[in-house]
Amino acid sequence: SDKDITFTSGTSGGTGLVYDATLGTDGTYSGEVAYFGTSTSTNQGRLYQLQTGGGWAYADADTVAGSSGLLAVALGTNSDDGMLLRGFIRDSDYSAIDGVAGGKLYVNTTTSNNSFTADIPTGSGDIVRIVGYVTTANSKTIYFCPDNTFIELA
């Protein structure tokens, strides 16, 4: 469509910009996309953190090491498919996030679900880090824009 703009630098070793005005189906996204890091098996729509060895692992608010680094959302079944660094993304699992329009999203302490939560982590040692916003209550679309700051709870 005339509203779709795509700038990419290929599928490895770079970043790109993708603009999709519709976000009409699961897995659609619009934003800054990374194509770097060691090839890693991923689950589309889940939150990952770049590891020191170059691979990607689920983000986890239970530890500083699991949630304080570079975060991205997987765009496919492998990190080579792209990792969304910032932007909008639609995924059917996001409708389960119990949030209100404009509500903050945080890194979750449970990595087996969608890795996002509208609930502030509360456990001792948990990390509180805002990673995005709900666009519409019970929506399948979120705005992913991870803050660089975080708080470790005592």
Side-chain angles (χ1 to χ4, degrees):
S1 110
D2 60 346
K3 296 179 182 175
D4 297 344
I5 301 171
T6 302
F7 302 100
T8 62
S9 63
T11 57
S12 68
T15 59
L17 176 65
V18 176
Y19 175 71
D20 179 346
T22 61
L23 297 176
T25 59
D26 280 356
T28 54
Y29 57 91
S30 182
E32 301 169 24
V33 180
Y35 299 97
F36 57 76
T38 305
S39 183
T40 306
S41 178
T42 58
N43 288 312
Q44 179 179 314
R46 303 303 187 262
L47 184 61
Y48 288 84
Q49 178 177 259
L50 185 63
Q51 303 298 293
T52 56
W56 295 90
Y58 281 124
D60 183 355
D62 284 325
T63 67
V64 172
S67 59
S68 63
L70 177 65
L71 299 178
V73 179
L75 298 177
T77 58
N78 192 289
S79 60
D80 294 340
D81 296 328
M83 302 295 286
L84 183 69
L85 299 175
R86 179 177 311 273
F88 293 90
I89 185 165
R90 179 184 169 114
D91 189 292
S92 61
D93 287 344
Y94 297 159
S95 63
I97 297 172
D98 185 24
V100 297
K104 296 174 184 73
L105 296 174
Y106 304 89
V107 178
N108 205 334
T109 56
T110 305
T111 60
S112 62
N113 60 14
N114 59 33
S115 305
F116 299 99
T117 182
D119 301 319
I120 298 172
T122 59
S124 177
D126 283 354
I127 303 304
V128 178
R129 182 174 179 185
I130 298 171
V131 294
Y133 298 89
V134 175
T135 58
T136 306
N138 300 314
S139 172
K140 295 179 181 180
T141 304
I142 65 169
Y143 177 53
F144 177 67
C145 57
D147 197 314
N148 292 326
T149 58
F150 63 90
I151 298 170
E152 181 177 8
L153 301 176

